Amino acid sequence: MHVFIRILMLAAALMPLAVSAQMLNDQPPPQHRIVYKSTFALRYNPLGLLLDSRFSYRYRLYESDSKALRDNFLGLGLAPTVSPAFLRVGPYVEFNPLTLFGVWATMQYVQYFGSFDLLQGFPGAQSDFSDSAIKRNTANRFSAHGWELTLGATLQAKVSRLLVRSQARLVRGDLNLRPGDRIYYDQLYDVGAPNRGWFFTHDLDVLYQGLENKLIAGARYTATTPFYDRARHFDPGDLNTEVSNASHRVGPFVGYTFKTEDGARFNTPTVFLLVQWWLHHRFRTGEDTSAALPLLGIGFQTTGDFLPVK
């Protein structure tokens, strides 16, 4: 344990990405803290509109003056996610043993409204769930509900002005699909999700921070992989069970934070732009959509504290 702590202390330049960890800039966190983070985003290719929020009570585990260690906590809260097509809401738990690393989990109730061509289920992993197919099958959309479990891990650090952040999620959905449907199109993650099965998604950010820490600019790489069970997620009529529904995309990410004030209820208001070209996608690299067309995303994020921090 001493060796591990010495390594962290020697890496004195390592600091967290403040917007993600909600680390206080000028002081250690208090023993008790109630925080929130809300993100509003608009996306194209695939199309989407989303408000994603987290409200959490955090209990500090131990005191430390080291920026690599001091933002430690055990948190419990609520995770609501709303779009015009669906609602997800449920309890949220998070555990940060140190500033640089944390794990979290949420169990959300999911309700699809039957709007905007969603929800649509499909017979198996070989099915066509492209944008064109979803539009053609709009009469087959239906409302559905169920549960989604998400397990996440975040690793983040700063060396000089270089920020690195890794965010991984393992997701399992369990929806009341129609008889014969084995997968469904998950618009949020743009994946043919296996019902009662898992898929993995990972974001890796490498960013430069400047303008008194207000500007971040760099690149984001995103990979998503569904895990299909041969017996449960393929149409029995499909003789070939080899399918590649994984996806990879990469491109520039730019964000600007207008202000940072420790303990403010309205804090770190940030606008961001994301442009990612598809390196691999079954339908977005030529078969249904031109590979020249990237994913385009714009959004606004804010964080805050509900209790005084001093």
Side-chain angles (χ1 to χ4, degrees), residues 3-285:
V3 174
F4 179 65
I5 293 178
R6 283 175 66 98
I7 292 173
L8 291 174
M9 298 298 287
L10 286 172
L14 290 179
M15 296 169 57
L17 182 53
V19 172
S20 175
Q22 295 179 245
M23 178 179 174
L24 301 176
N25 290 318
D26 300 323
Q27 64 186 88
Q31 184 74 67
H32 305 280
R33 195 177 178 199
I34 298 179
V35 300
Y36 77 90
K37 179 174 69 174
S38 291
T39 305
F40 176 81
L42 175 64
R43 185 184 67 186
Y44 178 73
N45 193 34
L47 188 65
L49 180 67
L50 186 75
L51 175 62
D52 183 65
S53 298
R54 298 289 185 270
F55 301 89
S56 180
Y57 163 75
R58 292 178 175 180
Y59 177 81
R60 190 190 64 219
L61 301 174
Y62 59 89
E63 289 189 79
S64 175
D65 292 328
S66 166
K67 289 188 176 182
L69 299 172
R70 75 184 191 188
D71 203 51
N72 60 85
F73 56 83
L74 180 64
L76 180 65
L78 187 69
T81 304
V82 183
S83 89
F86 61 82
L87 164 71
R88 299 177 183 180
V89 62
Y92 174 72
V93 61
E94 53 185 344
F95 171 59
N96 269 46
L98 63 161
T99 304
L100 307 178
F101 176 73
V103 294
W104 56 272
T106 182
M107 185 68 171
Q108 293 176 297
Y109 172 77
V110 181
Q111 176 67 61
Y112 279 88
F113 308 130
S115 56
F116 295 90
D117 299 329
L118 299 173
L119 179 73
Q120 291 193 28
F122 300 89
Q126 295 277 18
S127 301
D128 181 358
F129 53 88
S130 65
D131 290 348
S132 296
I134 289 174
K135 290 178 182 178
R136 288 194 303 267
N137 296 334
T138 184
N140 295 324
R141 71 175 186 254
F142 61 100
S143 61
H145 65 271
W147 296 91
E148 184 175 273
L149 171 65
T150 305
L151 307 176
T154 302
L155 178 66
Q156 53 195 356
K158 178 180 178 181
V159 180
S160 185
R161 294 188 178 274
L162 180 67
L163 305 173
V164 180
R165 176 177 57 187
S166 170
Q167 299 183 93
R169 300 178 183 89
L170 193 60
V171 185
R172 178 187 171 94
D174 187 343
L175 304 181
N176 63 333
L177 302 184
R178 299 170 301 185
D181 287 343
R182 296 169 180 84
I183 73 167
Y184 61 94
Y185 177 64
D186 190 308
Q187 184 194 42
L188 178 59
Y189 297 103
D190 190 35
V191 65
N195 199 36
R196 299 183 179 91
W198 297 89
F199 65 87
F200 175 79
T201 185
H202 179 235
D203 292 320
L204 176 64
D205 297 324
V206 180
L207 306 166
Y208 171 85
Q209 189 172 37
L211 297 182
E212 298 180 344
N213 296 335
K214 293 183 177 180
L215 175 70
I216 54 173
R220 169 172 291 184
Y221 166 73
T222 302
T224 302
T225 302
F227 304 114
Y228 299 122
D229 181 86
R230 185 179 296 269
R232 292 189 297 125
H233 299 126
F234 286 87
D235 190 323
D238 290 336
L239 299 178
N240 181 14
T241 57
E242 297 296 326
V243 63
S244 178
N245 284 337
S247 65
H248 303 267
R249 63 182 189 262
V250 67
F253 179 91
V254 179
Y256 184 83
T257 300
F258 293 94
K259 70 158 190 170
T260 300
E261 179 185 351
D262 282 356
R265 290 195 177 182
F266 181 73
N267 201 10
T268 63
T270 302
V271 293
F272 61 86
L273 170 67
L274 175 66
V275 182
Q276 289 180 303
W277 277 269
W278 294 94
L279 305 177
H280 175 77
H281 191 290
R282 186 175 160 197
F283 304 113
R284 301 194 188 280
T285 51

